[in-house]
Amino acid sequence: MMKGLHVHGVSHAFDGHPVLDNASLTIPAGELVCLLGPSGSGKSTLLRIAAGLERLQRGRITIDEQVVAEPGTHVPPEDRGIGLMFQDYALFPHLTIVDNVTFGLSRQPRHRARKRAMEMLEQVGMEGHAGKHPHMLSGGQQQRVALARALAPEPRLVLLDEPFSGLDTSMRAKIREDTLSVLKQSGIATLMVTHDPEEAMFMADRIKVLSHDGRILQAGRPADIYYQPVDEYVAMLFGHMNLIHGVVSEGAVDSPMGRIAVDGIDEGRAVKVLIRPEGFVLTNGVDGGVGTPVEVISTHLLGHSSIVRLRVREGKNMGAEFQVRVPGSFDAAEKGRLSARIDAHHAFVYPEG
Ligand SMILES: Nc1ncnc2c1ncn2[C@@H]1O[C@H](COP(=O)(O)OP(=O)(O)OP(=O)(O)O)[C@@H](O)[C@H]1O
Ligand SMILES: [Mg+2]
């Protein structure tokens, strides 16, 4: 038996407007899959259908091989064996922390439920706050309690909808790590929704990228999504790209910083080349003739990296500008004369139009 979540060909519409178009996914036990997509692409809708909060219209959902939803079948959310955690999953304000976690364990004898709740609070590092009320905790602490509550009943599947988006950056990083380690220890299937690509990269074993109209554009490991994006939209998920227009000739396309090999696109075809800002190699001096001489227009320190604008100094592409990301700070005066070339791992070629 294959444990985990299966979503088979789910399509969904609200008042005649299609939201999901034949979405399928499989999450084996122990794996975390992220749904990544723009606002309105149907991420929460798919999650709510899996949870049973929204009635399925077309397709089928199984959890540990039990059909929980298909046309004519609707297992209610509380009988699906799922743990839920949302961005604004408010804890019950009038209950203590431990009672919040015990809430979903009402089928167990009270002392057993309490023992389990304390174990879960310990796992998320909140056992010292058991007797407090939610308003006495920070947002991050409340989110840990929500995680403990979701996992306490030993669900078969955990569904997370942008669980960290209400937290500030430093808190988010920490809670994200802790949540991941708790989920990995529990060995259950997890479906998480986010529109933050970095969060998806960090958390996911596999990522499903949804289009604005609810189709799955690409599915793969984080490295596949980053290094082999199937189209311009997926490539652009990770932010600004440098754009060059060109034509395929002899299996490559010209760029101001050398030729870029093209695979699987016909000769003579007009193409777009997208190059990530981190996809440049900068060297001092003339780089033995491999790089293109460039000058620095501006630099901006962002913290752990800098954004540097470069302009080609000579040749037929003189004046072409690029945005480059380099680790740490960047002192243009100290670097002297610079050459730049493109790292092919960060350059993507797609047919125009
Ligand atoms: N109950 C509903 N009734 C009518 N339309 C709905 C309902 N729920 C969602 N929609 C619509 O379905 C589309 C998808 O919504 P959904 O909440 O699934 O998007 P999302 O991908 O989670 O977006 P976000 O990133 O903003 O959370 C949106 O156009 C939304 O307005
Ligand atoms: Mg949503």
Side-chain angles (χ1 to χ4, degrees), residues 244-293:
I244 297 169
H245 298 278
V247 172
V248 180
S249 119
E250 293 170 15
V253 56
D254 276 323
S255 89
M257 291 173 191
R259 297 207 10 111
I260 296 167
V262 177
D263 209 25
I265 304 178
D266 291 342
E267 280 291 298
R269 189 74 198 267
V271 291
K272 272 181 195 179
V273 184
L274 298 171
I275 307 154
R276 294 200 198 283
E278 53 271 43
F280 293 83
V281 180
L282 301 183
T283 43
N284 286 99
V286 287
D287 192 22
V290 180
T292 299

Side-chain angles (χ1 to χ4, degrees), residues 146-224:
L147 177 65
R149 182 172 62 176
L151 293 175
E154 298 185 70
R156 304 184 285 183
L157 169 68
V158 171
L159 300 168
L160 309 172
D161 195 349
E162 313 226 11
F164 315 116
S165 55
L167 306 171
D168 66 45
T169 318
S170 57
M171 175 82 88
R172 191 157 61 214
K174 179 76 179 102
I175 301 243
R176 184 150 92 179
E177 257 175 66
D178 294 349
T179 301
L180 188 59
S181 103
V182 171
L183 286 170
K184 284 291 164 188
Q185 279 168 38
S186 68
I188 40 185
T190 306
L191 177 61
M192 179 170 125
V193 159
T194 179
H195 56 241
D196 177 349
E198 269 190 26
E199 185 157 295
M201 294 290 283
F202 183 90
M203 298 285 288
D205 297 298
R206 286 178 302 124
I207 297 174
K208 306 264 177 184
V209 182
L210 284 178
S211 66
H212 65 91
D213 55 354
R215 285 171 304 119
I216 293 177
L217 286 177
Q218 186 169 358
R221 293 167 304 144
D224 301 329

Side-chain angles (χ1 to χ4, degrees), residues 27-266:
I27 312 179
E31 242 192 52
L32 191 151
V33 170
C34 271
L35 282 181
L36 179 63
S39 191
S41 57
K43 304 181 296 296
S44 295
T45 302
L46 184 55
L47 192 113
R48 289 170 52 81
I49 292 170
L53 299 170
E54 187 75 46
R55 252 182 196 273
L56 173 129
Q57 295 170 353
R58 197 162 155 194
R60 187 167 71 248
I61 311 269
T62 67
I63 302 174
D64 290 356
E65 302 220 322
Q66 178 204 355
V67 175
V68 296
E70 66 185 345
T73 304
H74 179 82
V75 175
E78 61 274 20
D79 295 332
R80 290 193 182 191
I82 48 174
L84 291 169
M85 192 167 138
F86 298 123
Q87 176 188 347
D88 53 358
Y89 205 114
L91 301 173
F92 303 114
H94 59 288
L95 295 183
T96 62
I97 296 310
V98 67
D99 287 343
N100 263 279
V101 179
T102 313
F103 191 82
L105 305 173
S106 55
R107 292 173 197 182
Q108 300 185 9
R110 193 160 162 72
H111 69 280
R112 278 250 301 278
R114 211 181 152 80
K115 183 161 174 285
R116 172 74 183 152
M118 285 308 294
E119 275 167 23
M120 278 319 302
L121 284 173
E122 206 168 306
Q123 263 204 52
V124 300
M126 289 298 293
E127 72 278 14
H129 302 272
K132 293 185 181 169
H133 280 80
H135 73 270
M136 299 158 80
L137 303 183
S138 73
Q141 290 171 328
Q142 291 190 41
Q143 204 55 285
R144 284 167 196 271
V145 175
L147 177 65
R149 182 172 62 176
L151 293 175
E154 298 185 70
R156 304 184 285 183
L157 169 68
V158 171
L159 300 168
L160 309 172
D161 195 349
E162 313 226 11
F164 315 116
S165 55
L167 306 171
D168 66 45
T169 318
S170 57
M171 175 82 88
R172 191 157 61 214
K174 179 76 179 102
I175 301 243
R176 184 150 92 179
E177 257 175 66
D178 294 349
T179 301
L180 188 59
S181 103
V182 171
L183 286 170
K184 284 291 164 188
Q185 279 168 38
S186 68
I188 40 185
T190 306
L191 177 61
M192 179 170 125
V193 159
T194 179
H195 56 241
D196 177 349
E198 269 190 26
E199 185 157 295
M201 294 290 283
F202 183 90
M203 298 285 288
D205 297 298
R206 286 178 302 124
I207 297 174
K208 306 264 177 184
V209 182
L210 284 178
S211 66
H212 65 91
D213 55 354
R215 285 171 304 119
I216 293 177
L217 286 177
Q218 186 169 358
R221 293 167 304 144
D224 301 329
I225 305 290
Y226 184 76
Y227 286 111
Q228 282 152 30
V230 292
D231 64 14
E232 187 177 350
Y233 173 80
V234 178
M236 295 285 291
L237 281 174
F238 299 93
H240 172 86
M241 301 279 268
N242 293 283
L243 173 64
I244 297 169
H245 298 278
V247 172
V248 180
S249 119
E250 293 170 15
V253 56
D254 276 323
S255 89
M257 291 173 191
R259 297 207 10 111
I260 296 167
V262 177
D263 209 25
I265 304 178
D266 291 342

